[in-house]
Amino acid sequence: MPITDVAGKARALYEARRTRTAIAPFTDEDPTLGMADGYAVQSELVRLILADGDRIIGYKAGLTSKPMQRMLGVDHPDYGPVLGSTVFRDGDEVSVGAFIAPKLEAEIVLVIGEQLRGPGVTVDDARAAVSGAAASMEIVDSRFVDWRIKLADTVSDLASNGAMVMSETVLPLADIDIRLIGMVLTRDGELVDTGAGAAALGNPLAVVAWLANTLGADGIALEPGHVIMTGALHAAVPMQAGEEYRAEFDRLGSVSVRIVD
């Protein structure tokens, strides 16, 4: 029987996350679902997760590259919270068993130093509010079968966020053009892909400004200490146990993770 209410959809995703069992996309039953519907479900899902004792430590932006936007038929990003329980440190082991169908992406993380609240936030405002940048990798995951998602599905599913691995080194942005920061991703020492900061909405700082303005419309501010995941710099890579990934960034250094059962 199709789930037609927001609370029911959120509960279904909550259980899918808890049991690591994929469910059918919501848009299978109702192709008319859109971004607003997805955010309504996301809000209720976040409420359920926070009730378990988790906390929001920042936000992630998805669909920050033109190819991904074209794939889902949109012209702007989406967002979801970064949860404290999903953060790993450089060099940590991450179990594939914690996810359903995980993929890995290298990203630039920006750390907020001063409160940033929309509307009207510009890229220059974002630069002034950011305390620094760090190397990171996001593990994206979908609670929907076979990654068969449309826009409303991924938005409701916390923008397909699974976990993140972040370097402890946060570099101030003075004299750095973050658009030009290059990245090399390797798996077990072999080249997988490359990218640059400009892949994220043309400028990772533009991602911060977009988030501040979008969240500001709902009365939410980016607070000091928040981490902002600015979007993948390359195509997502399916990951398996036994692999080790390393993302090396110009100026920012590197971050690595070992994938285990």
Side-chain angles (χ1 to χ4, degrees):
M1 183 174 180
I3 302 168
T4 57
D5 63 295
V6 167
K9 288 180 170 66
R11 175 58 66 175
L13 275 174
Y14 176 86
E15 291 299 328
R17 289 170 59 88
R18 185 181 66 83
T19 63
R20 300 177 182 87
T21 303
I23 60 176
F26 298 145
T27 53
D28 278 5
E29 292 291 344
D30 187 356
T32 68
L33 292 174
M35 183 170 277
D37 301 296
Y39 281 124
V41 175
Q42 182 189 118
S43 179
E44 178 64 15
L45 174 58
V46 169
R47 187 189 69 78
L48 293 173
I49 293 171
L50 296 186
D52 287 338
D54 216 328
R55 62 192 180 97
I56 294 174
I57 64 162
Y59 293 90
K60 69 152 289 185
L63 307 180
T64 56
S65 69
K66 291 300 182 183
M68 285 301 297
Q69 290 179 8
R70 285 194 294 269
M71 186 178 79
L72 291 183
V74 298
D75 59 2
H76 51 81
D78 66 349
Y79 71 85
V82 176
L83 300 167
S85 65
T86 67
V87 178
F88 293 85
R89 297 174 298 178
D90 180 22
D92 276 354
E93 293 183 345
V94 175
S95 171
V96 290
F99 310 97
I100 295 174
K103 301 180 182 182
L104 184 140
E105 303 172 344
E107 303 192 10
I108 295 171
V109 162
L110 297 177
V111 180
I112 302 299
E114 300 177 3
Q115 187 186 78
L116 197 59
R117 182 187 296 272
V121 172
T122 66
V123 170
D124 287 340
D125 295 331
R127 173 178 279 275
V130 166
S131 62
S136 80
M137 288 182 278
E138 180 181 12
I139 296 171
V140 293
D141 195 21
S142 181
R143 272 55 68 167
F144 296 108
V145 174
D146 298 331
W147 277 93
R148 193 161 43 82
I149 55 173
K150 293 182 180 177
L151 181 61
D153 302 310
T154 185
V155 169
S156 65
D157 192 18
L158 308 187
S160 301
N161 190 19
M164 69 172 291
V165 184
M166 180 177 170
S167 169
E168 295 181 3
T169 301
V170 178
L171 186 71
L173 296 184
D175 303 321
I176 296 177
D177 187 341
I178 198 169
R179 300 172 303 169
L180 304 182
I181 290 178
M183 182 282 305
V184 173
L185 177 69
T186 57
R187 176 177 53 226
D188 300 330
E190 298 293 327
L191 178 66
V192 174
D193 214 334
T194 62
L201 212 61
N203 185 341
L205 289 168
V207 176
V208 174
W210 176 85
L211 269 170
N213 290 324
T214 301
L215 292 170
D218 293 325
I220 302 170
L222 300 181
E223 301 290 353
H226 271 167
V227 296
I228 306 300
M229 304 188 71
T230 58
L233 304 184
H234 60 94
V237 180
M239 63 185 221
Q240 299 179 24
E243 298 173 334
E244 181 169 354
Y245 288 89
R246 182 180 182 87
E248 299 174 80
F249 293 78
D250 180 39
R251 305 290 291 272
L252 302 182
S254 64
V255 62
S256 64
V257 63
R258 296 186 300 278
I259 313 302
V260 299
D261 287 328

